Amino acid sequence: MITRTPIAVHCEEVEPEAPVSDTPLGDWQRQLRDVIRDPAALCRHLGLDVEWSSGARRGHDLFPVRVPLAYLSRIRRGDPNDPLLRQVLPLGAEGDAVRGFVDDPLEERDHTPKPGLIHKYPGRALLIASPTCAINCRYCFRRHFPYADNAPSMREWERTLDYLREDDSIREAILSGGDPLASPDRRLAALVERLEAIPHLKRLRIHTRLPVVIPDRVDDALLEWLGSTRLQKVMVLHINHAQEIDEAVVAACARLKAAGVTLLNQSVLLRGINDDVDTLAALSERLFEAGILPYYLHVLDPVSGAAHFDVPDDEARDLVDALRQRLAGFLMPRLVREVPGERSKTPL
Ligand code: SF4
């Protein structure tokens, strides 16, 4: 049995603000704009004490709070240990230096041949299609990424895309970020139009958390450009806990599948959030119900500020062995680590 570490901030039940469910959310762009950006506001919305320890503010100053209201509505009120809250709530421990935890754990800055392009693995290249996210996950391995140096204009994209045009071993373009779907559809459609004009490209992969945290992002405009490209479409979602998948997420996934998108999920194994067999089994079951295949379970990338989420390798292997006793093979995610310099993910 894994012991859950209690959250290290002072949060007692107080009178909540108006329930989020009573507030009209508006379209996805408005929801993206109207995210919660302050730890005290986050606490107030959830009926938690706003008498913050200096630690919460310290973590927020290093990597700001960002929580969409649609995601907030799935967090249990009055529970400081809620597994969704823990993904977005800053802790003072984020400011502690921990040996082995660094700003660029995957050494991506060494694999950026053009602004906005990361080429680490053979056959595929990753485009930083948006410098922002809808949500700021406290364990994010790109929490220190220099997005300002990797946000090409549409004109600069042309030079970056030349890299793809000139390398016919690249079969797959991966849109990442930030969250690529935080970009407007017009910009994404223009980018994908250029990608599909490169004859050797076969697949378009999109790494995104937006259909999960703001399901309204999956609207007609998105489905129009996504559904009409000649490229095979794969969307890799990022969901760590079954509680993140509400009916709005299920409906968004159904629309994506109807547009010909293959849906996969990658999770991160996180201390205090999903580090027990029951939670991981429930996640796989719920993913499959929503039409999403469990793909990867990543051990934490050692990014500075996230050491308190770490689960040791031996414990991770034991968890996955126990999970295998519970689930059909197609519900089993692959336990992997990303090792800088390796040509693929490394199975544990
Ligand atoms: S959505 Fe993805 S890229 Fe954005 S903060 Fe979360 S983990 Fe990082």
Side-chain angles (χ1 to χ4, degrees), residues 133 135-137 140 178 209 238:
C133 289
I135 190 167
N136 279 349
C137 312
C140 179
R209 198 149 153 72
H238 172 183

Side-chain angles (χ1 to χ4, degrees), residues 1-259:
M1 185 69 192
I2 308 300
T3 309
R4 290 189 179 279
T5 315
I7 213 157
V9 291
H10 179 56
C11 288
E12 290 170 359
E13 252 189 286
V14 295
E15 198 59 35
E17 293 195 341
V20 173
S21 56
D22 290 354
T23 313
L25 293 174
D27 64 20
W28 72 267
Q29 277 159 313
R30 184 170 154 201
Q31 292 181 52
L32 197 59
R33 205 178 52 236
D34 291 347
V35 292
I36 291 178
R37 299 168 192 268
D38 181 82
L42 178 59
C43 244
R44 271 199 312 274
H45 273 283
L46 292 168
L48 298 169
D49 190 352
V50 292
E51 292 301 315
W52 283 87
S53 69
S54 57
R57 185 60 62 184
R58 187 179 175 212
H60 170 70
D61 289 344
L62 294 167
F63 185 46
V65 162
R66 198 173 167 88
V67 186
L69 297 180
Y71 191 81
L72 186 78
S73 68
R74 292 169 234 159
I75 300 177
R76 285 191 300 267
R77 304 178 72 75
D79 180 0
N81 285 317
D82 180 274
L84 276 56
L85 177 64
R86 297 203 59 176
Q87 295 181 50
V88 295
L89 181 69
L91 295 183
E94 294 178 26
D96 298 343
V98 178
R99 186 192 294 265
F101 284 75
V102 297
D103 283 0
D104 181 14
L106 305 185
E107 298 175 9
E108 290 189 318
R109 275 163 246 196
D110 299 340
H111 298 276
T112 308
K114 299 272 184 188
L117 186 139
I118 297 173
H119 192 192
K120 287 191 285 193
Y121 297 146
R124 59 260 197 217
L126 187 147
L127 303 171
I128 300 292
S130 164
T132 55
C133 289
I135 190 167
N136 279 349
C137 312
R138 308 314 302 172
Y139 50 84
C140 179
F141 73 90
R142 289 204 185 117
R143 56 182 284 166
H144 308 286
F145 189 81
Y147 285 112
D149 302 338
N150 286 280
S153 67
M154 222 45 214
R155 185 174 304 180
E156 289 167 326
W157 268 121
E158 281 303 323
R159 286 198 290 278
T160 295
L161 293 179
D162 280 343
Y163 184 90
L164 300 184
R165 294 183 183 107
E166 289 160 10
D167 184 346
D168 65 8
S169 73
I170 298 175
R171 298 301 169 97
E172 181 172 335
I174 304 172
L175 303 188
S176 185
D179 195 312
L181 295 189
S183 277
D185 287 304
R186 207 176 34 190
R187 184 179 161 88
L188 290 168
L191 178 57
V192 169
E193 196 179 328
R194 285 164 175 75
L195 290 173
E196 66 185 357
I198 302 173
H200 52 267
L201 281 184
K202 307 286 183 211
R203 286 183 302 280
L204 175 70
R205 193 192 326 174
I206 301 175
H207 284 187
T208 178
R209 198 149 153 72
L210 250 155
V212 180
V213 302
I214 302 180
D216 288 340
R217 177 62 184 96
V218 182
D219 62 4
D220 292 346
L222 169 73
L223 295 169
E224 191 177 318
W225 62 262
L226 192 55
S228 61
T229 176
R230 71 161 179 87
L231 299 166
Q232 284 188 296
K233 301 166 280 283
V234 178
M235 191 171 278
V236 182
L237 300 169
H238 172 183
I239 304 171
N240 299 311
H241 195 283
Q243 192 180 316
E244 290 176 82
I245 307 174
D246 67 3
E247 289 314 304
V249 175
V250 174
C253 290
R255 295 194 78 190
L256 289 165
K257 283 177 75 82

